[in-house]
Amino acid sequence: MAPPEVYNISQSPVTSHAFNGDRSQVAVSLNSNEVQIMQRAGREWKPVETLSEHDKIVTSIDWAPNSNRIVTASQDRNAYVWQQTPDPLTGRTIWKPTLVLLRINRAATFVRWSPNEDKFAVASGARAIAVCSFDPDNDWWVSRLLKKPIRSTVLSLDWHPNNVLLAAGSADMKARVFSAYIKDVDKRPAPSVWGEKLPFNTICGEYGSPAGGWVHAVGFSPSGDALAFACHDSTISIVYPGGPAIFTIRVSLPYVTLTWTSEDAIVAAGHDCQPTLLQGSPGGWQAVGSLDEGSGGAKGSAGASRVGTPGRLNSAAFNTFRNAADRGLASPGGAGAEGGDTELFTVHQNTITSVRPYDGVPGAVTRVSTSGVDGKLVIWEVSAMGALTGRIGGMRLG
Amino acid sequence: MADINFRKIDIDRFEEDVLLETDLYEADPRNPAQVLEAAKAKAASVRSSLSKGDILGSLVLVLEDPPYGPNVEEAKNLTLQTLVTVLNSTKSADIANVVKALSPDVQDSLMKYLYKGMAIPGWGDVSGSVLLNWHEKLTEAAGLGCIVRAMTDRRVV
């Protein structure tokens, strides 16, 4: 398996990242009120433009691959749609913002374009999701709010491939599937496992977190017939509403982000600092292994000691203390060069906050990108992961 | 002078659509009296299974469907007491095998009680060293996620 491509793009956390259609540019927010557009230059990413219109921290970015529009959401309760237009003065192409009338009174937390790129949804702390569509008469984006029965901040969203259904994960410990049907934009969707008649704000599914935790991430499978959600109670659940069946997998530290790579595989990542591959079918699901395993990480030689230990606790410093506690070896006070090394053996050195498809088509994603609190952007290969299946017996993810 | 204690104002009183603790988990369908009855019946059957030396069976008995939620303090205390009896009468060499044999649900439930016990040192027969010993073995068997679930679950035992 090819080693992951690792880019140190920032000293500060990467709050969000979104690639353009041909992956030559990436938009990132580096824990500030600005969005950086970076261009690939050989083995690194060079900042080429800064989008500054928000007043507070930008929480989420999405880049529509076909229409080449960027949407950003921020704690300042606003969202902007950015489009490339020639500057009337200089004639240079610049990114021009269009205001979105969100009508929310708390921070916007998450934003995603619909598959047809004619709508987007903004999650917010105002117990609401704003579903936005373009109003050509006034040249701005208008929103309709999904409110009931959301009881707390909405943390994540994902669109169904039919452009109508929307999944939302919320801090009230529920994952829900809504209809976000907009009359002027959408054609009537074909009946699916989620229902037949789908007027705006229909609740097509509601699923509680197994042991009470915020629902950090939601995702529809490529066909849209299954839903995965990851919660802060260190579980990830896969729902087949047609079955009906729910599979819950207990993991080490909680996942906060996930993406389906095919109809039978999910990559999830979070506080454990390493992306994990899960595989399954309507018959059952299991965690297969870490994409980080065997990649060498920060310290190639340490590979053998990594299996079965949470990434978060896998550093030379932690091992020194554990050996001291368990076996009375090497007093930590003696502080050899090895004992003072707090670098984790995983590629990411802190929580991974976003994992997104990078290469391939929906249903056959071959590479994914991750970004996190450590300021790294990493591109991982998933296609070769099938080889890992034989090693399940030796894995312990508990 | 303006009231400087504005941070202590209960703003939820002014919010119509306030999110209540009870909205966050499904309430126990039984009433408190039934829950207490069940806890007493469990305590008795655990005593008899413990006298036969069946640690694993006793643990599963006491940890399945534990009382949770408000108004069932008596049943909660009785269950903790019963559990502590089981924990204290287990040989430390057996702990590792016992926790490995438990189902994931029971493991999660056990972790909740271990933390509850550690929060009230000296209560009844609760012994810190016994609890820590179980905690170590349980974490090895069930992983860190088990601790995370004990912290997030609103169904407090």
Side-chain angles (χ1 to χ4, degrees):
Chain A
M1 184 163 67
E5 295 173 36
V6 184
Y7 304 101
N8 288 302
I9 57 171
S10 160
Q11 293 296 314
S12 56
V14 179
T15 329
S16 178
H17 79 274
F19 284 95
N20 67 351
D22 65 9
R23 308 294 189 240
S24 60
Q25 292 189 324
V26 63
V28 292
S29 71
L30 306 176
N31 210 26
S32 76
N33 62 334
E34 289 177 340
V35 174
Q36 301 279 340
I37 307 238
M38 295 185 166
Q39 173 117 25
R40 188 190 275 276
R43 285 289 302 158
E44 53 185 327
W45 295 86
K46 288 257 166 61
V48 287
E49 209 167 331
T50 303
L51 313 185
S52 40
E53 194 71 30
H54 287 291
D55 301 333
K56 290 200 165 67
I57 285 182
V58 174
T59 50
S60 186
I61 309 173
D62 201 23
W63 198 325
N66 301 316
S67 54
N68 199 33
R69 287 183 299 211
I70 298 173
V71 60
T72 57
S74 153
Q75 291 177 359
D76 66 7
R77 303 168 308 193
N78 281 323
Y80 291 102
V81 175
W82 304 79
Q83 237 173 323
Q84 277 189 315
T85 31
D87 191 319
L89 295 175
T90 60
R92 269 184 54 224
T93 308
I94 52 159
W95 286 97
K96 186 174 150 283
T98 315
L99 181 66
V100 182
L101 299 180
L102 280 185
R103 302 186 292 130
I104 53 173
N105 57 5
R106 296 285 189 281
T109 52
F110 200 86
V111 64
R112 282 294 178 269
W113 284 105
S114 72
N116 295 355
E117 303 178 10
D118 49 5
K119 295 192 290 189
F120 59 87
V122 181
S124 84
R127 302 170 172 186
I129 303 162
V131 180
C132 306
S133 57
F134 191 65
D135 172 10
D137 299 340
N138 291 307
D139 191 31
W140 62 25
W141 291 79
V142 290
S143 67
R144 286 193 68 185
L145 297 183
L146 287 167
K147 276 190 163 161
K148 286 202 166 116
I150 302 167
R151 301 304 310 275
S152 188
T153 302
V154 181
L155 300 165
S156 61
L157 299 168
D158 194 44
W159 284 96
H160 189 278
N162 72 2
N163 208 52
V164 168
L165 294 172
L166 183 67
S170 160
D172 60 11
M173 308 183 181
K174 294 262 186 358
R176 299 187 178 87
V177 176
F178 294 99
S179 163
Y181 177 80
I182 303 275
K183 209 172 68 192
D184 300 331
V185 179
D186 291 307
K187 288 200 281 286
R188 256 193 72 177
S192 70
V193 289
W194 301 100
E196 292 180 13
K197 280 196 155 175
L198 301 167
F200 189 77
N201 211 157
T202 309
I203 318 296
C204 306
E206 188 173 60
Y207 308 96
S209 156
W214 292 7
V215 179
H216 285 298
V218 287
F220 278 110
S221 70
S223 70
D225 290 346
L227 177 78
F229 62 96
C231 311
H232 199 77
D233 59 359
S234 284
T235 61
I236 178 166
S237 302
I238 295 98
V239 181
Y240 289 92
I246 299 184
F247 302 102
T248 296
I249 298 166
R250 291 160 209 253
V251 299
S252 172
L253 293 174
Y255 295 144
V256 298
T257 176
L258 65 87
T259 189
W260 291 72
T261 52
S262 68
E263 197 59 33
D264 54 10
I266 297 171
V267 174
H271 293 289
D272 201 21
C273 310
Q274 51 187 341
T276 306
L277 182 78
L278 301 110
Q279 280 181 336
S281 66
W285 277 79
Q286 60 190 342
V288 175
S290 164
L291 295 189
D292 205 333
E293 206 171 305
S295 69
K299 295 270 178 292
S301 59
S305 67
R306 304 156 47 127
V307 179
T309 314
R312 173 71 82 181
L313 300 182
N314 218 338
S315 70
F318 184 85
N319 288 342
T320 306
F321 276 103
R322 190 172 51 193
N323 289 342
D326 287 0
R327 283 163 255 163
L329 299 175
S331 80
E338 200 190 345
D341 194 352
T342 55
E343 203 171 340
L344 302 182
F345 295 146
T346 49
V347 171
H348 273 290
Q349 295 295 303
N350 208 328
T351 301
I352 298 171
T353 51
S354 179
V355 53
R356 312 194 66 169
Y358 178 81
D359 199 4
V361 292
V365 173
T366 53
R367 286 192 286 173
V368 295
S369 59
T370 58
S371 65
V373 182
D374 58 353
K376 283 189 172 139
L377 178 69
V378 183
I379 295 161
W380 308 82
E381 205 165 309
V382 252
S383 53
M385 281 301 288
L388 259 183
T389 321
R391 283 198 273 147
I392 300 169
M395 260 313 271
R396 200 189 70 182
L397 280 155
Chain B
M1 204 180 115
D3 187 359
I4 53 161
N5 286 331
F6 64 91
R7 285 186 187 279
K8 291 185 178 160
I9 297 173
D10 178 13
I11 55 164
D12 283 345
R13 272 198 311 147
F14 305 100
E15 167 84 46
E16 283 170 31
D17 192 27
V18 65
L19 180 65
L20 300 171
E21 182 76 24
T22 47
D23 295 335
L24 295 175
Y25 62 89
E26 274 172 47
D28 196 330
R30 301 170 294 182
N31 68 40
Q34 286 172 306
V35 173
L36 185 58
E37 274 314 303
K40 279 180 181 160
K42 247 190 221 172
S45 48
V46 166
R47 262 195 301 278
S48 77
S49 121
L50 206 52
S51 64
K52 291 184 214 123
D54 182 6
I55 298 286
L56 186 61
S58 315
L59 264 186
V60 173
L61 259 177
V62 66
L63 290 171
E64 268 183 352
D65 299 318
Y68 64 90
N71 307 324
V72 290
E73 287 311 313
E74 206 178 329
K76 285 183 180 177
N77 287 340
L78 182 60
T79 313
L80 177 61
Q81 212 163 15
T82 315
L83 177 76
V84 167
T85 322
V86 181
L87 298 187
N88 286 346
S89 46
T90 309
K91 283 199 244 29
S92 56
D94 297 342
I95 297 177
N97 289 327
V98 169
V99 292
K100 261 181 224 150
L102 298 173
S103 75
D105 280 330
V106 174
Q107 286 176 336
D108 288 356
S109 178
L110 175 58
M111 189 61 92
K112 287 194 218 170
Y113 278 103
L114 294 182
Y115 276 96
K116 183 186 173 85
M118 287 193 257
I120 42 173
W123 181 88
D125 303 326
V126 172
S127 143
S129 68
V130 171
L131 292 184
L132 282 172
N133 211 348
W134 277 86
H135 183 268
E136 182 192 352
K137 297 291 184 296
L138 181 57
T139 311
E140 271 172 28
L144 292 180
C146 187
I147 301 177
V148 176
R149 280 185 289 279
M151 291 194 287
T152 57
D153 205 336
R154 301 291 176 123
R155 290 170 296 181
V156 177
V157 295

